[in-house]
Structures are given as structure tokens and as C-alpha cells.
Amino acid sequence: NAGVTQTPKFQVLKTGQSMTLQCAQDMNHNSMYWYRQDPGMGLRLIYYSASEGTTDKGEVPNGYNVSRLNKREFSLRLESAAPSQTSVYFCASGAGSNQPQHFGDGTRLSIL
Amino acid sequence: DQQVKQNSPSLSVQEGRISILNCDYTNSMFDYFLWYKKYPAEGPTFLISISSIKDKNEDGRFTVFLNKSAKHLSLHIVPSQPGDSAVYFCASGRMGQFYFGTGTSLTVIP
């Protein structure tokens, strides 16, 4: 009964390093999303994928790239990490665009 | 500029009473609205949603009200239980692009 699985759960990077955050869902959902949550703020959409093979920018896409590898998997890549990207990253999936989203437990990323 | 606002960072309610959480949005094109509950170190959990064609949706103890003219939605929890203590986020948007409020921390006092 996994739902949405994110790996890793924690990571510390140095400025300039690259990293890929992995996300997989087992609910056969079409749509997948990446959000970041910073202290005192709500979740902000980075990128989303309405269906396999498509990706679109969200509210805060700068500094990130994504890949919808297949229907199950949606990865988020930081090519050159910056301290401003220190955050908790959440992946989510949904049956369609205007459907409830199911979230993973997050990846806590610190960039020094 | 925030498109979705939750102006009350925290709320305390006695067990058994009603909890009312409020949310305002700015974009009249938004057509889908959701409430999520979040515990520390976990992802948000979906609670209840409403589309713009309705003004009320109920699910057990949870009811969401939508006032489109005021661009306002609210979540009512009746009766409130200690297990309801968590941070509640509202989200609004359309076509898969959702904006979240900053959350309201609800404490239900036994």
C-alpha cells in the first residue's frame, strides 16, 4: 500500500553539486507534481506532468528540470544546487488535472 | 503575490465544538478547491474538495463551503476531535496548477 514513494528522505549537498530526487506512484495516476515547501509558506508548484510524455512549468521552475520517465515515475533534478533551494520537496500524483492529489512524505534537502 | 491566503496561522478549539478554517483566493478563474491536513514529517493528506459549480460539499464531519462572489472558502469540522489537531492547507487552482495557502495550525483541546 505504498502510494507515492520519494527517495531519498534526507540529503545534504554542497553549493554547485547536482542531484536527482526520485518519485514513484503505484496508483496508476496520470498526473504527477513536484512542490517545494519553505518555512512559513504554503506548497509551491515547481513542475507538473499532466500525462506520460508531457511536462509543464509551475510557479517556481527556475533551477530545476524534470523527467516523466514513465507513467509511474517523475524525477526532479537540480543541476547546480544553490542555498536558496534548501527546502522540503514533495511529490504528488492525481488521477487527473482537477482531482485530489496524493502526496509522498517529502525529501528534506539542505544545501550548504 | 499570494493567490491563496489563510489569514489565521493558528486556531484552538474545545473538543466537541465546531472548528472553522477560512481561506481566500484572488483568481476568479480557479475552478477546483481542496483542503489538506498535514502532520509533522508527513506529506499532506487530502480531506475534501469542491468544484466551482457547487457551494457546499460534505463528507462525514467535514464540510467545505464555497462563496465564489467573495472568493472565499471555509472548512467546518463538527464535532472537533483531538486527532484533528494538525496543520490544514487550502488549495485552489485549475487545470492541475494549484496554489496553496500558508496553513492554519488547529489544536483541539480535550
Side-chain angles (χ1 to χ4, degrees):
Chain A
N1 206 21
V4 178
T5 302
Q6 293 184 235
T7 54
K9 294 191 186 307
F10 302 92
Q11 185 70 48
V12 178
L13 293 178
K14 294 181 179 178
T15 297
Q17 287 185 315
S18 62
M19 162 132 202
T20 300
L21 279 59
Q22 306 287 353
C23 175
Q25 53 95 4
D26 62 3
M27 295 173 282
N28 201 35
H29 283 165
N30 290 316
S31 303
M32 297 187 73
Y33 308 84
W34 276 106
Y35 292 89
R36 60 178 288 174
Q37 185 186 18
D38 300 301
M41 302 188 73
L43 282 74
R44 291 184 292 168
L45 183 64
I46 304 171
Y47 271 93
Y48 65 102
S49 169
S51 61
E52 187 178 353
T54 68
T55 59
D56 287 287
K57 294 179 181 179
E59 191 181 357
V60 289
N62 291 344
Y64 305 95
N65 287 301
V66 290
S67 295
R68 182 75 184 266
L69 304 169
N70 47 55
K71 191 171 187 179
R72 287 188 65 246
E73 298 171 289
F74 189 38
S75 62
L76 179 72
R77 183 161 177 84
L78 288 70
E79 290 290 353
S80 179
S84 61
Q85 294 177 305
T86 293
S87 190
V88 181
Y89 290 85
F90 290 101
C91 176
S93 70
S97 294
N98 271 12
Q99 295 288 329
Q101 295 174 15
H102 299 262
F103 285 81
D105 284 337
T107 294
R108 284 145 186 84
L109 183 61
S110 293
I111 298 157
L112 307 177
Chain B
D1 197 24
Q2 274 190 286
Q3 301 217 34
V4 176
K5 294 182 181 179
Q6 293 177 257
N7 292 318
S8 298
S10 62
L11 175 68
S12 291
V13 171
Q14 289 289 132
E15 181 178 4
R17 299 287 188 102
I18 184 171
S19 295
I20 300 176
L21 294 88
N22 294 300
C23 179
D24 297 295
Y25 62 97
T26 59
N27 192 331
S28 59
M29 297 298 291
F30 288 167
D31 61 7
Y32 193 58
F33 307 87
L34 311 98
W35 283 95
Y36 289 88
K37 177 180 179 179
K38 186 180 183 304
Y39 295 114
E42 294 183 8
T45 301
F46 169 70
L47 265 181
I48 192 167
S49 63
I50 188 168
S51 72
S52 59
I53 61 172
K54 294 185 174 183
D55 54 17
K56 178 182 174 181
N57 188 27
E58 287 182 80
D59 184 0
R61 295 186 297 116
F62 302 93
T63 302
V64 56
F65 295 92
L66 176 63
N67 183 332
K68 289 185 289 293
S69 61
K71 297 192 185 70
H72 179 84
L73 67 155
S74 61
L75 174 69
H76 292 206
I77 306 173
V78 183
S80 301
Q81 299 174 353
D84 295 330
S85 296
V87 177
Y88 289 78
F89 291 96
C90 65
S92 306
R94 64 188 301 269
M95 299 296 289
Q97 186 145 2
F98 289 97
Y99 297 86
F100 281 70
T102 52
T104 296
S105 179
L106 174 66
T107 302
V108 180
I109 304 162

